[in-house]
Amino acid sequence: MDKSKRKFIGLAAVAGVGAVVPKVAFPHEEFSGYPDGYGVLHDTNLCIGCRSCEAACNEVNGLPAPDQPFDDMSVLEKKRRTNHKTYTVVNEYKTSESPELPVFRKIQCNHCLEPACASACFVGAFTKTPEGAVVYNPSVCVGCRYCIIACPFNIPAYEYNEPLTPRVIKCTLCQPRVKEGKLPGCVEACPQEALIYGKRDNLIKIARERIRKYPDRYVDHIYGEHEVGGTSWLYLSGVPFDEIGLRTDLGNTPAPELTCGALAMVPIIVSLWPALLGGIYLTTKRKEKIAHHEKTTAVNDAIAKTQAEAAAKAKVAVEKAKKDKEFAIAREVKKALAEAAKQSGEEKK
């Protein structure tokens, strides 16, 4: 979040302004995707884990160099996820059917037809484009990171290393290249044609034909055709999808249908939050003022009481000293008179 955003939100909170968000989440309306939207079909039976897609993605998007070079296959031995420097990774999976023959799967944003990230974002930083990509606008992002929590595929990453202007990082489906008439970098670089780019409807037809033609090679399911309402990134597999790290517990309900009720409250909470904080602040300050007054009064009363007690004790002491002095004088006078009388009697003798 840059300084201007922080300043704006801070001023809004102090002033009790509720209009902090330019776009809010409203009750869900069914959306089945753009009819001419594009996507990618990833046939894991054809993937050899060469990481050419990773290298191409890194190059076309101008990403930082990886910690380990792309020809280092040892990274496949551990499960990886996308991060703030990586839009895509390839993982290796040992399956129960043939543990000696690993299966490789490319991981990136699945570009849902009804994205959970867009549904969770109350400022509209994520948009599903007619071309198929789910794109991110950092200029309106407030850094709440709800999108990261909402994504059922655990894809978006955050630039925690950027203190002033952090962004949410994820695959863009090479949207800038697609607009120029080019293929996504990963698709263009795949030597095995394990990745196919095209209209989503056509990709589904291709996938079904492969399943029909080679039923012994493929699971009879296209992952992403219906999961969470459908995705623009589709998968074919020869082993159960949960054995290659894909969630099979998501169901077919689009994410917005599950979150619209809670998200509809976001603008209300956002608008009331500054006022609530302001009220808490004023109440706290008032309590502090009352406590300070009570403390000052108590101290003054204690001082006055102490002074009064000291004055009373001093008065008693003065009166006692005065009486003691008068008694001493009277005693001395009496003693002097007695001595004078005694002396007078002796002189008469």
Side-chain angles (χ1 to χ4, degrees), residues 6-271:
R6 297 179 190 277
K7 183 177 180 181
F8 175 75
I9 294 175
L11 291 175
V14 173
V17 177
V20 177
V21 294
K23 181 178 180 182
V24 298
F26 293 100
H28 173 66
E29 296 180 1
E30 186 175 350
F31 173 69
S32 57
Y34 294 102
D36 295 325
Y38 283 70
V40 176
L41 173 63
H42 178 28
D43 190 335
T44 60
N45 279 353
L46 301 178
C47 183
I48 59 174
C50 65
R51 300 184 66 199
S52 296
C53 55
E54 289 188 38
C57 177
N58 180 274
E59 181 180 353
V60 300
N61 290 292
L63 301 177
D67 296 332
Q68 295 172 272
F70 291 111
D71 59 359
D72 184 353
M73 298 299 132
S74 65
V75 299
L76 298 174
E77 297 175 1
K78 59 182 180 180
K79 296 299 179 288
R80 297 177 295 154
R81 60 151 292 178
T82 56
N83 57 43
H84 66 283
K85 298 190 298 182
T86 309
Y87 288 177
T88 186
V89 296
V90 176
N91 277 345
E92 174 184 301
Y93 299 90
K94 306 289 187 182
T95 65
S96 58
E97 294 184 6
S98 53
E100 71 284 354
L101 296 175
V103 178
F104 302 96
R105 179 173 70 90
K106 180 180 179 298
I107 301 169
Q108 69 299 301
C109 174
N110 287 336
H111 300 277
C112 303
L113 300 186
E114 298 186 71
C117 55
S119 174
C121 181
F122 60 87
V123 296
F126 288 90
T127 306
K128 178 68 175 181
T129 65
E131 296 81 9
V134 176
V135 296
Y136 164 71
N137 182 1
S139 67
V140 299
C141 179
V142 296
C144 68
R145 300 185 290 282
Y146 292 163
C147 55
I148 296 176
I149 299 172
C151 179
F153 301 107
N154 194 31
I155 293 299
Y158 195 67
E159 289 183 315
Y160 290 101
N161 60 318
E162 293 289 343
L164 297 179
T165 57
R167 299 171 300 164
V168 175
I169 300 297
K170 74 172 196 66
C171 162
T172 66
L173 202 58
C174 285
Q175 180 75 352
R177 286 174 57 87
V178 169
K179 287 187 174 181
E180 295 175 0
K182 300 177 181 178
L183 289 172
C186 58
V187 176
E188 187 176 71
C190 183
Q192 296 297 112
E193 296 185 356
L195 303 174
I196 304 175
Y197 179 78
K199 286 189 176 181
R200 184 175 184 272
D201 289 345
N202 291 338
L203 295 176
I204 291 174
K205 292 177 182 178
I206 293 172
R208 285 177 180 162
E209 177 60 20
R210 290 187 182 181
I211 293 172
R212 185 198 66 79
K213 192 173 181 179
Y214 304 105
D216 57 329
R217 297 185 188 178
Y218 294 98
V219 173
D220 188 10
H221 182 72
I222 305 169
Y223 191 95
E225 182 179 7
H226 300 296
E227 277 77 9
V228 292
T231 61
S232 292
W233 197 282
L234 306 167
Y235 289 95
L236 280 177
S237 175
V239 299
F241 289 98
D242 58 352
E243 292 196 16
I244 57 172
L246 284 166
R247 292 184 61 180
T248 56
D249 61 342
L250 298 176
N252 299 334
T253 303
E257 289 188 21
L258 303 175
T259 59
C260 64
L263 291 173
M265 297 299 296
V266 169
I268 298 175
I269 295 172
V270 171
S271 62

Side-chain angles (χ1 to χ4, degrees), residues 287-335:
K287 287 183 178 179
E288 290 177 354
K289 185 177 180 179
I290 293 173
H292 177 72
H293 176 72
E294 291 177 347
K295 181 178 180 180
T296 302
T297 301
V299 171
N300 291 337
D301 290 347
I303 293 174
K305 182 179 179 181
T306 301
Q307 290 177 341
E309 291 177 351
K313 289 181 180 180
K315 183 178 180 180
V316 171
V318 169
E319 291 178 354
K320 183 176 183 299
K322 183 178 180 180
K323 289 180 179 180
D324 290 343
K325 183 177 180 180
E326 290 176 350
F327 178 77
I329 292 173
R331 186 180 59 192
E332 292 298 324
V333 170
K334 184 177 180 180
K335 182 179 178 181

